[in-house]
Amino acid sequence: MVRVVPGASRSLDYRAWARHVDVVSWDCYPWPNADPGDIAFLHDLNRGLKDGQPFILMEQTPSSQNWQRVNALKRPGVLRLWSYLAVAHGADAVMYFQWRRGLGGCEKFHGAVVEHSNRSDTRVFREVAALGAELEQLGGATIGAVTPAQVAILFDWENWWAIDAAVGPIDPKSYVETIRKHYRALWQRHVPIDVVFSDSDLTSYKVLIAPMLHMVKEGLPERIEKMVARGGSFITTYFSGYVNESDLVAFDGYPGPLRGLLGLWVEEIDALYDGQTNRIVMADGSGSYSCARLCDIVRCEGAKVLATYGADFYAGAPVITQHSFGKGNAYYIASDPEDLFLEQFYASLLEAQDIRPLLQTSPGVEVTLRQTETQRFLFVLNHTAEPQDLVLDAPYRNLLGSGDLLQGTIVLASHDVMILQQINSS
């Protein structure tokens, strides 16, 4: 086993590295106030490195870290919640750094199972021990279970490097932040999501999102076209289709080899200053949304205009387009929209592809899926500090509880977790 750490590190292409290792593991050290959707993305990224194979959470702190600007404690219940967040997204083991706080050195104030007091009656020790007992009770029920996803988001390290190395039109370009933004809009819909790469097999997906696909590698356009032609949906954004693997711009302009699929070409790119925005005005009159950072000025070559810009000299120009291709559609988002647009856009797109949420929940409650050949497990995680009602769509048994049958409306306590095993109707 070789460790792969620490998630979305810029310095190494972990997809290339993963081909040469048996098991992927990584160290998860988010900010104490991190968005759980961002943590989920990193787990899914590591699960994707070996095409959906379960991974190991090699390190997490039981309490606090010591190297961030503010090293707040994990609140009661959060260690358990974030441990199961990893399991929900494909981890087959969760471990800690460190067993005992060192007496010296740079990590003597880093969290540990055993504090400097050397006692076993501390809050942190009790939480670790309780989680260990619960995992022992769970046993191997979810070991080897996979996540069957029909939705994928494309990430590529060499694309990231090419984007950051490009001088202009804006700095920073925020590739990873943009990926996470699109991921969170999907994550909030409670649908399984795979993180895929430029060399991934795309045949099993109904929806593929590739934000800022600046570098388009050889063979990728053809695989995307096949996915769309059989009925899939492809979504990409501004700053896509600009260069090839040699970082050379397509001779006939942007979006290069994606031009026929998207049914448009990009004439100019406007960069907006911090605080400056434009508007996305929906063509059907359903509303308008703010957009910022970059604005592609596009000309359609068969694409349908779903929305136009609301301001500046390019007001009325297309900003959201849809192009029919075979049995499917390719969409272009020509600017960086506010979160609400992405949430509503992807909700509509998933519905059109008949991809339904695993369960309906209140905000702050996450639902994800792992399954074996014979069993299906829903992980339900309450990321809020308040109890939340949950309406079940079928009878389930909570593998982390007493094993009682659950159905109808149940209450999920603050920072609580349930692993729901669906009861076969037969």
Side-chain angles (χ1 to χ4, degrees):
M1 180 181 70
V2 177
R3 297 170 62 190
V4 175
V5 296
S9 172
R10 184 182 181 277
S11 58
L12 293 171
D13 184 340
Y14 289 108
R15 172 64 170 181
W17 188 4
R19 300 187 192 104
H20 305 286
V21 305
D22 299 315
V23 179
V24 168
S25 68
W26 81 288
D27 303 349
C28 184
Y29 289 107
W31 291 99
N33 59 350
D35 187 314
D38 286 342
I39 306 173
F41 165 73
L42 292 173
H43 287 315
D44 282 344
L45 173 63
N46 281 276
R47 176 172 55 83
L49 291 176
K50 291 190 73 68
D51 302 312
Q53 177 178 306
F55 62 91
I56 293 174
L57 177 56
M58 181 67 76
E59 291 186 15
Q60 61 173 332
T61 179
S63 54
S64 63
Q65 301 164 44
N66 76 317
W67 43 267
Q68 295 181 349
R69 188 178 62 83
V70 176
N71 296 282
L73 291 171
K74 285 183 176 177
R75 269 33 195 176
V78 173
L79 168 64
R80 176 177 181 263
L81 175 67
W82 284 5
S83 295
Y84 280 116
L85 176 59
V87 178
H89 287 270
D92 271 356
V94 292
M95 293 182 263
Y96 306 100
F97 181 83
Q98 52 191 330
W99 164 246
R100 186 187 300 273
R101 287 203 191 204
L103 299 180
C106 65
E107 291 186 312
K108 62 179 175 289
F109 293 120
H110 192 286
V113 178
V114 179
E115 304 285 348
H116 285 142
S117 61
N118 201 34
R119 298 178 64 94
S120 61
D121 59 353
T122 63
R123 175 183 69 88
V124 171
F125 190 97
R126 293 196 309 270
E127 286 197 27
V128 171
L131 177 59
E134 191 172 58
L135 289 171
E136 185 175 12
Q137 177 186 353
L138 179 63
T142 64
I143 297 296
V146 298
T147 300
Q150 296 177 301
V151 178
I153 190 161
L154 195 150
F155 183 89
D156 187 289
W157 267 272
E158 292 181 328
N159 181 54
W160 184 3
W161 300 338
I163 286 173
D164 282 358
V167 181
I170 199 170
D171 186 51
K173 298 180 185 64
S174 304
Y175 173 61
V176 176
E177 292 80 1
T178 302
I179 291 279
R180 286 176 167 177
K181 181 176 180 177
H182 285 254
Y183 175 93
R184 283 195 301 270
L186 296 160
W187 173 80
Q188 292 172 2
R189 301 300 302 168
H190 309 311
V191 297
I193 307 164
D194 279 349
V195 177
V196 297
F197 308 91
S198 291
D199 63 343
S200 295
D201 183 354
L202 305 177
T203 56
S204 64
Y205 301 108
K206 288 185 175 181
V207 176
L208 174 65
I209 303 100
M212 298 183 73
L213 187 59
H214 177 66
M215 175 180 284
V216 182
K217 296 181 177 179
E218 185 177 354
L220 179 59
E222 291 78 12
R223 283 183 284 121
I224 296 174
E225 288 176 0
K226 287 181 180 179
M227 187 274 295
V228 176
R230 66 172 181 269
S233 297
F234 173 66
I235 304 92
T236 191
T237 72
Y238 56 93
F239 217 59
S240 291
Y242 283 30
V243 301
N244 62 16
E245 291 171 74
S246 299
D247 200 28
L248 297 177
V249 173
F251 183 74
D252 58 350
Y254 328 128
L258 301 176
R259 183 170 176 173
L261 175 62
L262 294 168
L264 55 80
W265 64 281
V266 177
E267 182 176 1
E268 294 184 273
I269 314 159
D270 193 19
L272 307 188
Y273 292 97
D274 289 346
Q276 184 182 3
T277 61
N278 205 308
R279 300 294 297 174
I280 295 172
V281 181
M282 301 306 295
D284 62 4
S286 59
S288 68
Y289 307 86
S290 175
C291 61
R293 298 185 62 245
L294 289 176
C295 296
D296 281 354
I297 303 172
V298 306
R299 293 195 185 186
C300 291
E301 296 178 322
K304 177 182 178 182
V305 178
L306 300 183
T308 57
Y309 288 108
D312 218 315
F313 74 91
Y314 44 92
V319 61
I320 310 294
T321 64
Q322 172 189 356
H323 187 229
S324 297
F325 191 92
K327 297 180 180 179
N329 291 284
Y331 298 85
Y332 193 74
I333 301 174
S335 186
D336 185 13
E338 63 174 290
D339 291 343
L340 180 60
F341 170 81
L342 291 179
E343 292 166 11
Q344 295 180 349
F345 175 78
Y346 285 127
S348 176
L349 194 64
L350 293 174
E351 184 176 1
Q353 285 286 2
D354 196 30
I355 301 173
R356 307 294 176 180
L358 296 166
L359 287 176
Q360 298 289 347
T361 75
S362 52
V365 177
E366 175 186 1
V367 185
T368 191
L369 170 67
R370 292 183 69 179
Q371 68 181 33
T372 66
E373 291 183 359
T374 59
Q375 300 290 336
R376 188 170 183 267
F377 307 102
L378 292 184
F379 290 75
V380 186
L381 304 97
N382 182 6
H383 293 290
T384 77
E386 303 295 332
Q388 300 291 337
D389 289 342
L390 180 68
V391 180
L392 300 179
D393 61 347
Y396 293 90
R397 200 175 305 280
N398 181 17
L399 299 185
L400 300 183
S402 61
D404 293 340
L405 185 69
L406 301 177
Q407 52 188 337
T409 301
I410 60 174
V411 178
L412 199 62
S414 163
H415 294 144
D416 200 7
V417 179
M418 291 183 178
I419 301 178
L420 302 178
Q421 181 181 20
Q422 192 163 0
I423 306 300
N424 295 327
S425 58
S426 57

